[in-house]
Every structure is written in structure tokens, then in C-alpha cells.
Amino acid sequence: MDVSSDAPTADIPEADENELSTEATAHRSLDRAVARSAEIEADLVRDAGAYRVLTGDRPTGRLHLGHYLGTLANRVRLQDLGVQTMLLVADYQVITDRDDAGPIAQRVRDLVTDYLAMGIDPGRTTIFAHSAVPALNQLMLPFLSLVTDSELRRNPTVKAELEASGGRPMSGLLLTYPVHQAADILFCKANLVPVGKDQLPHLELTRVIARRFNERYAGGKTVFPAPDALLSQATNVLGVDGHKMSKSRHNTIDLAMTEDETAKQLKRAVTDSDRHITYEPERRPEVANLLLIAAEMTGRAPEEIAAEIGDGGGGGLKKLVTEAVNERLRPIRTRRRELEADPAVVEQVLAAGNARANEIADATLAEVRSAMDMVYTS
Ligand code: TRP
């Protein structure tokens, strides 16, 4: 590490600067996060009411099976356990790595439709878009004062996103969006954030910002509690081509697909020439992935499903997977179509969620102003 370029600003003590992971400490901090996450997972069942969760998605397209198994089903589980949940439609975050946000309004409505269809209950979960919550965005200003440019530049997730954006120069928003994400989490004082490993650097930055704010601007009083990560234990399913399930690869199975579209998509799935179906993730990754999808959809073991298909080959496997997916998603899709037929419902849910998020954000910003002695009129 180039120490000279990482020199802390005058009033950020060196020890504090070192709180953020360098590559050397990343492993240790991952181990810590895994252990802490397991502790919290056990406590959640006992004391759900003690937690406020914030999670969210960028509205970049329709939700698919990868999202469903990776994060969505778990959100519904947390909600149903009685955890207070804030669900963010991260619309400003769409423009971190692309010039064109696409048909953003439609995508926001689609995302909320997907949420409601799969069991997010707006009576218990606040669904909101961060562009609709001015006070949340205003927190970005004091928060930006708490981080250095070198801390921002060494965020491994931002670096990876820059590389993936195909020679695009780093925009100010791409560099600073982890600070915006800290505002997403801290505006509502969430103490738990369900994340994948790629989001851990952002969560670590959020913890540092919370701590520095309390020390520097609030005289050591806890205005912002430091949130913990809840690491997902979900099975990672791949797309029908055996690669990471992602919209840009056209290999997804979307919640919004019809049963025929699902069958068509699965017909394209890559398998191999051995007609005898076995579950061997190392040797037969594509076949194993399809078995895993069927297993996740039915709650059965992949080995048992393989044995049942036996010599049925790729065709038999795809047929079984298609039925399993369609059966599991049927109620979600039915609900989805009902919601699409009545767009006012989604709009009302978003309006109510935005209003609630604004109440919370206004209260937090008032507290921040007062901590920073920036209240000039009564
Ligand atoms: N970065 C997240 C993603 O791409 C979305 C997100 C925005 C988020 N703000 C957040 C997730 C705050 C957790 C907490 O999926």
C-alpha cells in the first residue's frame, strides 16, 4: 500500500483510517462478519423486534430466480419473523455505471410489483425510492466530509464495477455511491443489512461513517448506530447457460415470465450427452445446476431428484425442472398479473412508503442539524 497517498486528513486519527479493510485485513474482517452474522441469525428468531433491516435493489430490470433464491425469499422470511423492514428501490444508484437509466419509471413499478407478488406486505414493510426522500439524500453532504478520497478509491467493489463498465471513466457518483448507500442505511438507523459478500466493503464504510459522525459531529453521542451485515446463506443458482444468472446474458428465469416462456427458456438450457442423470457439481456443473434449481423449488434433495430422473436424459431433467419452477412460481405469477391489471395499487404502495420514509428521514436530518449546531431559526 502506498502510505503517503493514504495519509489521513488532519483530524481523522490514523487508527480510524485503518478501520477500513486493506487487502491484508479483508480476510479477517470477512471471518468476523461471518461469525457475527451467525450470532445475529440465532438472535433474530428470539428477538425479531430488536432489529430494523434495510435492503434494496437497483431497478435495472425484472427480478429473476437468482434474486428470488438469493435475497427475496429471505426478505419475506425476515418480514414474517416480525423484523421491521425498509425496502429500498435504489433508483439513483442505476446511474452509477451507465449513461442511460432505461425506462426507469416502468422498471420501478415492475420492481414493486415483483415485491408485492412474492409476499412483501406493505403493511409491515416500507417500500420506497430514494430519489423521493430528499432528507436521505442530504445526509450525503456531511457523510462525504467523513471519508477521504483514498478510502473511496480503494473500495474493491467500486473498482470491480469500474472495470466491468467497459472503459468508462470513473464518475463522481460511482466513486461516492458507497457513501450514498451509507445514507440509505443510516437515515432510518437500520441495524441489520442482509448482503452478499460483494456488499461488505460498503457496509464497512457505513460503519466507519456512523462512528466518525458520532465522534466528530455529535460529541460521542450515538446519533447513528453501526449496522451489522446479515450474510446470505442462500444457494447460488446459475442461469440456463451455466453462467451467473444475469439479465445481460439472457439466461434468466424471470418471476414475470409465463409458464410457456419458462418452458422455452429451460429448453435452451445446457446439459451434457450422458443420458443418466447424476448430481455431480464438479464434473457436471450444468446438470447439477438444473437439479439444484429443482431442489430449491421443491424442498427435495438434488441427489433424490437425479435418481428419480435416472436415464431420462437432459429432456427428462428439463421437463421436471420446468414443472417444479412453474408450480412454485404459479401463485406469485397469478398475484403479479392481478397487480398489473390494477396499477393504482403499486402506485399507492409506493406513495405510502415514500411518505413514511420521508417522516423518518426528516426526523433524522433534524437530529443531524441539531448535533451539528446548524439550527438557526426556530
Ligand atoms: N447496491 C445494492 C445492489 O446493487 C442496492 C442497494 C442500494 C443497497 N442501497 C443499499 C443494498 C443499501 C443494501 C443497503 O444490489
Side-chain angles (χ1 to χ4, degrees):
M1 189 176 74
D2 179 354
V3 176
S4 60
S5 73
D6 282 323
T9 59
D11 55 348
I12 298 173
E14 193 139 14
D16 196 24
E17 172 89 354
N18 286 337
E19 282 172 304
L20 280 172
S21 283
T22 59
E23 278 182 43
T25 59
H27 268 293
R28 228 184 321 132
S29 94
L30 177 60
D31 288 348
R32 228 185 298 124
V34 169
R36 179 85 185 112
S37 180
E39 256 174 55
I40 291 170
E41 189 57 64
D43 191 51
L44 269 174
V45 188
R46 284 192 300 270
D47 196 10
Y51 293 91
R52 173 175 274 180
V53 159
L54 180 121
T55 63
D57 299 287
R58 300 195 295 158
T60 52
R62 288 192 158 161
L63 294 178
H64 53 64
L65 215 52
H67 297 121
Y68 182 63
L69 295 172
T71 55
L72 305 178
N74 191 44
R75 289 180 193 165
V76 176
R77 180 184 72 99
L78 292 172
Q79 166 196 278
D80 293 349
L81 274 175
V83 175
Q84 304 170 57
T85 312
M86 306 289 295
L87 186 46
L88 164 70
V89 177
D91 50 357
Y92 273 143
Q93 221 180 81
V94 174
I95 47 174
T96 51
D97 65 350
R98 63 198 77 196
D99 295 334
D100 181 0
I104 183 86
Q106 187 55 47
R107 284 184 178 161
V108 169
R109 286 191 286 266
D110 276 344
L111 185 58
V112 178
T113 307
D114 280 333
Y115 286 158
L116 298 180
M118 50 162 246
I120 294 292
D121 170 5
R124 288 179 287 170
T125 295
T126 302
I127 306 175
F128 67 103
H130 57 187
S131 69
V133 187
L136 180 165
N137 294 295
Q138 190 170 331
L139 291 178
M140 178 110 173
L141 281 167
F143 287 0
L144 279 169
S145 75
L146 298 168
V147 295
T148 64
D149 134 273
S150 62
E151 284 172 326
L152 294 172
R153 282 181 201 282
R154 66 171 178 253
N155 182 306
T157 304
V158 170
K159 280 195 209 163
E161 282 164 350
L162 179 66
E163 269 160 40
S165 73
R168 229 175 161 270
M170 177 85 91
S171 74
L173 186 61
L174 180 56
L175 184 65
T176 57
Y177 93 83
V179 180
H180 193 223
Q181 195 157 314
D184 294 340
I185 296 167
L186 295 178
F187 96 91
C188 62
K189 305 190 182 186
N191 56 4
L192 193 59
V193 185
V195 287
K197 287 190 187 125
D198 68 310
Q199 297 287 309
L200 276 177
H202 300 345
L203 198 70
E204 206 178 337
L205 181 71
T206 303
R207 295 169 57 83
V208 167
I209 288 174
R211 231 164 5 234
R212 287 181 187 164
F213 185 95
N214 297 338
E215 278 163 24
R216 196 192 290 186
Y217 294 135
K221 187 173 147 259
T222 304
V223 173
F224 294 112
D228 281 304
L230 186 66
L231 282 161
S232 112
Q233 297 152 8
T235 317
N236 208 0
V237 301
L238 304 171
V240 296
D241 59 356
H243 292 97
K244 184 179 156 69
M245 194 179 280
S246 99
K247 182 185 153 61
S248 58
R249 299 193 65 99
H250 304 290
N251 64 357
T252 61
I253 297 164
D254 298 348
L255 298 184
M257 280 176 177
T258 64
E259 299 200 0
D260 284 349
E261 285 165 345
T262 304
K264 226 192 220 160
Q265 181 73 322
L266 278 161
K267 234 175 227 143
R268 289 179 44 214
V270 178
T271 53
D272 57 34
S273 54
D274 185 348
R275 290 197 56 78
H276 185 68
I277 299 302
T278 52
Y279 182 64
E280 295 175 81
E282 293 291 320
R283 199 172 71 80
R284 307 178 73 182
E286 294 90 357
V287 167
N289 181 55
L290 290 174
L291 287 166
L292 209 54
I293 291 176
E296 288 287 332
M297 295 287 97
T298 55
R300 297 169 65 196
E303 293 85 355
E304 183 193 325
I305 297 171
E308 182 185 308
I309 301 166
D311 290 323
L317 173 59
K318 291 177 191 180
K319 186 161 170 286
L320 187 143
V321 177
T322 302
E323 274 162 22
V325 170
N326 281 342
E327 193 170 313
R328 170 79 174 264
L329 296 185
R330 196 166 295 136
I332 295 176
R333 287 167 165 170
T334 304
R335 174 95 180 102
R336 219 189 169 287
R337 278 192 299 274
E338 288 165 7
L339 288 161
E340 274 181 326
D342 188 3
V345 174
V346 164
E347 225 170 272
Q348 278 158 15
V349 164
L350 205 46
N354 286 341
R356 173 79 187 120
N358 270 298
E359 264 171 40
I360 297 171
D362 288 345
T364 302
L365 184 59
E367 213 181 324
V368 162
R369 283 205 181 102
S370 147
M372 297 179 79
D373 196 21
M374 288 180 169
V375 182
Y376 313 123
T377 52
S378 48

